[in-house]
Amino acid sequence: MAKHTIVLIPGDGIGPEVSTATRRVLEAAGLSVEWVELPAGASAVEQGFDNVLPQRTLAAIQAHKVCLKGPVTTPIGKGFTSVNVQLRKKLNLYAAVRPTKSLEAVKTRFDNVDNVVIRENTEGLYSGLEQEVVPGVITSLKVATEVACMRISRFAFRYATRMQRKKITVLHKANIMKMSDGLFLTCARRIHEEEYPNIQYDEMIIDAGSMRLVQDPSKFDILLTENLYGDVISDLCAGLVGGLGVVPGSNFGDDAAMFEAVHGSAPDIAGKNIANPLALIMSGVLMLRHIHEDAMAAKIETAYKQVLSEGKSLTADLKGSATTTQFTDAIIAKL
Ligand code: NAD
């Protein structure tokens, strides 16, 4: 009998390609798993579901508590609400955790990047509360609640303690958004002072913080942000270590966890078998640690680092010419 039951959402665009690759690597590493494969996104509608986020998919994640998810497409400027935002809100996956760490074999401007973005996932400007007040005038509501700000702050300090991290920097814009970002800061300060005074704490206005990050990321450790800033800063941090193809992501709530890459469905390269599956494979490694399969996680990490160092089977984003399948085969051969 399979030891783990995991919901698998292949996703849209390059999603099916990178999720097949990840599934193959996890199984080749010995994961005993029953996959509950269900759709979300445009592919759900294509498969005959009446909704981009079918109730069956939500219910399966609620029941099995762990989900591996490929990227899904969201129409720009029109159409349905982002499936990602819906998933995070409906499952209350309030904390996005996105580690960005230099890979020895992937040469970038810096050798020593080791940051984690912790992003509030349920509110801010992602509340979807937009309206046309009068023709030509639109408002978009930024929501900050004490409950969510306290919850994400406590999560970040607890994460720092568990992962033996030293410092948390809150990136904010409370000089302009004095009340909403002000509340975020008040909550982070309170958790620091009252519950985790041993972890260093720092605050930086996000524009200046972004400049400092690209000048010297080693000055930072954990970056704690509200929703939109975390979205933007995650991609910035990805750029510091080699791009979206090499950074994993995870979303945690009190009842479930969902693992997905930071990147999107990359429609420009979808269906060509050239996407880098590593970001989702790395997200799979985070998932293995979450389900206490640490030895398997370490084995996969060693395998992909060897493939990266040999440099023969890299995908185009890492200046190679291998296909998604060839890169995946090379990792499996090292397991
Ligand atoms: P994107 O991340 O899909 O692509 C940005 C660029 O990076 C593209 O040039 C793409 O080819 C490249 N890229 C991304 N992943 C790659 C990979 N694994 N290997 C090689 N190259 C890769 O961002 P976008 O183009 O802004 O968004 C496309 C769609 O994805 C949109 O509908 C957006 O809403 C959605 N999206 C989904 C998620 C998610 O499901 N978590 C996250 C971000 C964007």
Side-chain angles (χ1 to χ4, degrees):
M1 209 175 81
K3 193 168 159 202
H4 303 283
T5 306
I6 298 171
V7 178
L8 177 71
I9 300 177
D12 303 320
I14 60 168
E17 297 160 65
V18 294
S19 59
T20 299
T22 303
R23 184 180 173 156
R24 286 184 60 213
V25 170
L26 294 173
E27 287 172 11
L31 183 65
S32 167
V33 60
E34 182 195 339
W35 298 108
V36 179
E37 188 172 325
L38 285 164
S43 46
V45 179
E46 280 156 25
Q47 287 175 35
F49 286 87
D50 59 356
N51 194 315
V52 283
L53 182 52
Q55 187 52 39
R56 255 179 76 192
T57 306
L58 271 179
I61 304 172
Q62 278 158 342
H64 301 299
K65 319 258 181 241
V66 183
C67 173
L68 182 68
K69 175 186 159 293
V72 295
T73 301
T74 305
I76 294 177
K78 59 179 170 60
F80 57 81
T81 308
S82 159
V83 172
N84 295 314
V85 173
Q86 287 190 58
L87 268 169
R88 292 165 194 160
K89 279 191 188 165
K90 290 193 172 163
L91 297 167
N92 213 5
L93 301 172
Y94 58 84
V97 178
R98 295 169 161 184
T100 42
K101 199 167 181 338
S102 296
L103 289 158
E104 210 185 318
V106 180
K107 295 294 166 218
T108 66
R109 195 176 294 262
F110 305 102
D111 303 323
N112 53 353
V113 181
D114 185 7
N115 300 124
V116 181
V117 176
I118 298 187
R119 161 189 177 193
E120 204 292 320
N121 240 353
T122 63
E123 55 182 29
L125 275 167
Y126 288 56
S127 56
L129 299 171
E130 293 189 306
Q131 63 165 334
E132 186 174 42
V133 185
V134 291
V137 181
I138 307 289
T139 59
S140 187
L141 212 60
K142 172 160 170 161
V143 177
T145 64
E146 190 175 335
V147 167
C149 295
M150 290 296 274
R151 188 173 60 179
I152 192 67
S153 299
R154 189 170 282 118
F155 178 96
F157 279 99
R158 201 185 299 140
Y159 178 92
T161 306
R162 211 178 58 239
M163 304 304 278
Q164 298 178 315
R165 293 269 172 177
K166 295 202 163 38
K167 186 165 91 173
I168 290 182
T169 304
V170 177
L171 296 176
H172 66 91
K173 196 76 190 172
N175 50 332
I176 306 297
M177 281 157 277
K178 295 176 194 289
M179 292 184 74
S180 51
D181 282 14
L183 178 63
F184 196 93
L185 283 183
T186 305
C187 293
R189 284 175 199 160
R190 254 181 71 192
I191 299 288
H192 167 59
E193 283 159 18
E194 294 172 11
E195 299 179 25
Y196 295 91
N198 51 320
I199 304 280
Q200 291 172 47
Y201 174 76
D202 196 9
E203 296 166 358
M204 215 173 275
I205 295 177
I206 183 132
D207 35 0
S210 303
M211 183 201 65
R212 297 273 295 277
L213 248 176
V214 297
Q215 283 182 326
D216 186 0
S218 70
K219 292 273 188 295
F220 297 86
D221 187 347
I222 288 177
L223 301 158
L224 171 62
T225 71
E226 60 84 84
N227 208 341
L228 173 64
Y229 310 151
D231 199 356
V232 177
I233 288 292
S234 300
D235 280 34
L236 185 152
C237 288
L240 297 174
V241 296
L244 288 168
V246 296
V247 285
S250 45
N251 302 278
F252 295 100
D254 293 331
D255 302 318
M258 193 169 76
F259 297 83
E260 62 179 337
V262 174
H263 65 71
S265 56
D268 52 335
I269 56 167
K272 297 182 178 161
N273 197 23
I274 56 170
N276 187 351
L278 187 55
L280 193 61
I281 293 171
M282 292 168 90
S283 309
V285 166
L286 295 180
M287 182 182 77
L288 289 178
R289 297 227 153 86
H290 177 72
I291 60 174
H292 309 296
E293 294 284 6
D294 295 273
M296 227 176 272
K299 193 157 86 169
I300 296 175
E301 243 169 15
T302 307
Y304 72 65
K305 283 182 182 167
Q306 279 176 12
V307 173
L308 291 174
S309 320
E310 287 175 7
K312 286 185 297 202
S313 309
L314 307 183
T315 45
D317 59 314
L318 297 180
K319 316 228 174 334
S321 58
T323 62
T324 309
T325 313
Q326 286 165 337
F327 180 72
T328 309
D329 289 343
I331 295 177
I332 290 172
K334 300 282 182 201
L335 288 169

